[in-house]
Amino acid sequence: MSAKLQAPRGTYDVLPEEAARRVAVEEAARRILGAAGYRRIETPAFEATELFARGVGSSTDIVQKEMYTFEDGGGRSLTLRPEGTAPVARAYIEHGMQKLPQPVKLWYLSSFFRYERAQAGRQRQFWQVGTEAIGSADPAVDAESIVLLAELLETLGVRDVRLRLGSLGTAQTRAAYRQELQAYLRAHEDRLSEEVRGRIDSNPLRAFDADHPGTREVMAGAPRLLDRLSGEDAEHFATVRALLDGADLTYEVDPTLVRGLDYYARTVFEFTSDALGAQSGVGGGGRYDGLIEQLGGPATPGVGWAAGIERILLAAGEQAVAAPVVDLFVGHDPARPEHRAAGFQIAHEARRAGLGAQLELAGRSVKGQLKQADRIGARFVAILGEEGATVKDMESGSQEVVEPGAVVHHVLRGRTL
Ligand code: HAM
């Protein structure tokens, strides 16, 4: 016997049970985001590697360690998308969307790829639902995006949600702050972890993220970017906060909030769920006012977020998802195979009339067929036999024999009673 093959590590099959829960996520997203004027976009599963190097940032973990990069037959370096913001920004520029009324509000639900250590809630292929609103610097767009994600998570029953909010200022503020932080880190270098020390030049902000005890102690006394914001940035942040307060959204200002992508400026945020283990981030995002320009487009502000579908489902627990409606289950007396075709015809007709109809396909006895109909929650069962079709109303238990050609009408009438 040949060896059994398995899905690659960090990937998994979406089986029908979970597929049904994902549909619920997609429908909630379409309804909530659509009502706020967001329209669906989908970009290719792979892009030129350069897009992520330039967009996400070459010093990030994503670009340095986590990309699935390959060369195609034409010698081009391509990468399976690790995230959706850089591709959507690329599409905005490529399709001249700056000519449309601004902001252009887009949402997506797609799969992404990162070579990470696989564990519960952390896969190598995962799914995100996300939004990008490009073309407005108004703090109301930041607040609106955050409120929409909060509403989506609430609708989907994600438990124990917490929102952390911060501001990174603009590139200039950050450059000055970065130098100040680098000087501080160098002054305390002996107490930092090797990893943090190695990143003082390339990515000093990540030091706030470290678990290493010595580093954490040093960081507790480090200068804070939030205290260094320019007047305009501080005002932008204050407006976002006031709008969230007005919407009664609870959040915590976290001056140490850093995100794993380099394009952020001003507002950043992260939703976590205490119902999740170590991978507690359900969704996060922020403003990326320099990204479009960095990718060769006109200077254009933008803001968005993405939330992991697997983590949403984990944190939502076993929220009931409606099973498919079965109005009619059609079987026949197994001793009389000549009735099989009539049964097939009735199920087909029923579906054309808009009913949910399933056919007996496993050669069960009549008793077994009734049991199966009950298991799938069928409202009516029609068993074809010598005398016609015996139609049983599974709700009332009443039974009637009708002409095979009258079954669909009978169910349509009975269903509305
Ligand atoms: P991110 O924080 O890297 O942001 O990812 C967003 C969410 O995707 C995370 O909160 C998490 O739920 C999920 N996620 C990330 N990596 C994995 C993984 N390996 N397995 C399972 N779930 C994962 C972004 O990707 C930005 N593009 C968000 C954004 C949009 N910012 C502005 N616009």
Side-chain angles (χ1 to χ4, degrees):
M1 209 167 55
S2 355
K4 268 194 256 168
L5 293 174
Q6 288 183 336
R9 194 166 162 68
T11 72
Y12 66 101
D13 302 303
V14 178
L15 300 177
E17 291 274 289
E18 186 175 330
R21 302 178 73 213
R22 281 166 179 252
V23 170
V25 176
E26 185 162 353
E27 275 169 3
R30 184 178 318 140
R31 184 172 53 74
I32 291 168
L33 303 173
Y38 283 77
R39 298 172 68 209
R40 183 87 179 246
I41 185 168
E42 286 300 333
T43 60
F46 54 82
E47 297 268 359
T49 302
E50 194 193 342
L51 172 65
F52 301 111
R54 268 163 67 184
V56 174
S58 48
S59 68
T60 58
D61 277 355
I62 294 182
V63 171
Q64 282 194 348
K65 307 188 212 161
E66 296 173 0
M67 297 208 300
Y68 282 94
T69 297
F70 59 97
E71 209 171 87
D72 74 359
R76 301 168 197 89
S77 179
L78 299 173
T79 293
L80 295 182
R81 57 185 171 191
E83 64 98 46
T85 310
V88 169
R90 194 254 322 125
Y92 177 92
I93 300 166
E94 189 171 332
H95 302 285
M97 292 191 217
Q98 69 272 13
K99 295 192 206 93
L100 301 174
Q102 305 291 302
V104 175
K105 295 190 269 184
L106 303 164
W107 75 279
Y108 48 86
L109 196 157
S110 338
S111 59
F112 296 90
F113 308 85
R114 292 184 195 174
Y115 183 69
E116 292 199 77
R117 239 173 342 107
Q119 61 183 81
R122 191 162 69 192
Q123 292 85 34
R124 291 178 177 170
Q125 177 180 3
F126 58 97
W127 294 72
Q128 285 184 344
V129 52
T131 65
E132 312 295 348
I134 305 180
S136 168
D138 191 324
V141 196
D142 310 38
E144 189 177 74
S145 317
I146 296 171
V147 167
L148 289 171
L149 178 51
E151 194 186 333
L152 181 66
L153 297 177
E154 190 187 326
T155 302
L156 294 168
V158 175
R159 296 163 298 164
D160 309 326
V161 173
R162 279 203 272 187
L163 167 60
R164 289 185 301 145
L165 188 67
S167 175
L168 302 178
T170 40
Q172 297 88 311
T173 323
R174 253 194 339 274
Y177 169 75
R178 206 177 134 102
Q179 283 185 0
E180 186 186 353
L181 183 64
Q182 280 169 333
Y184 177 83
L185 291 172
R186 280 203 195 92
H188 298 85
E189 212 165 331
D190 51 329
R191 291 164 64 201
L192 302 176
S193 74
E194 210 179 307
E195 199 185 354
V196 169
R197 241 181 296 148
R199 275 211 287 231
I200 295 183
D201 286 325
S202 64
N203 203 345
L205 272 161
R206 287 302 298 275
F208 283 110
D209 247 1
D211 289 329
H212 175 258
T215 307
R216 289 180 73 98
E217 271 170 43
V218 172
M219 296 323 286
R224 299 284 165 91
L225 181 54
L226 264 188
D227 303 325
R228 303 285 186 276
L229 296 184
S230 71
E232 266 181 38
D233 293 348
E235 198 183 313
H236 184 99
F237 191 48
T239 310
V240 173
R241 293 184 53 180
L243 291 168
L244 294 178
D245 292 338
D248 272 338
L249 205 67
T250 311
Y251 59 86
E252 182 192 319
V253 172
D254 182 350
T256 68
L257 181 60
V258 283
R259 307 247 319 122
L261 306 105
D262 273 358
Y263 45 63
Y264 293 112
R266 293 190 159 173
T267 316
V268 282
F269 55 93
E270 214 151 72
F271 283 84
T272 53
S273 165
D274 296 339
L276 294 172
Q279 301 306 314
S280 64
V282 205
R287 194 163 258 293
Y288 44 86
D289 291 350
L291 177 63
I292 303 273
E293 203 174 1
Q294 202 165 327
L295 296 177
T300 311
V303 57
W305 49 258
I309 304 291
E310 291 83 4
R311 293 192 195 170
I312 288 179
L313 294 178
L314 275 173
E318 289 306 311
Q319 207 187 38
V321 169
V325 175
V326 187
D327 298 298
L328 176 63
F329 183 83
V330 188
H332 65 273
D333 182 348
R336 311 300 298 262
E338 66 273 22
H339 296 303
R340 195 183 156 78
F344 185 91
Q345 183 64 24
I346 290 172
H348 177 61
E349 257 173 45
R351 284 190 292 262
R352 284 170 67 95
L355 296 171
Q358 291 189 29
L359 195 62
E360 164 59 29
L361 296 168
R364 296 179 183 88
S365 65
V366 168
K367 200 169 151 210
Q369 292 176 28
L370 287 167
K371 215 163 160 186
Q372 171 66 3
D374 188 44
R375 207 162 16 212
I376 63 173
R379 170 70 201 274
F380 288 92
V381 182
I383 310 275
L384 289 148
E386 203 45 28
E387 60 291 349
T390 308
V391 183
K392 181 170 179 184
D393 182 339
M394 300 290 276
E395 221 168 86
S396 68
S398 69
Q399 207 161 293
E400 215 175 305
V401 178
V402 302
E403 283 293 311
V407 172
V408 171
H409 179 70
H410 185 87
V411 172
L412 280 170
R413 196 165 39 100
R415 201 177 58 143
T416 54
L417 292 180

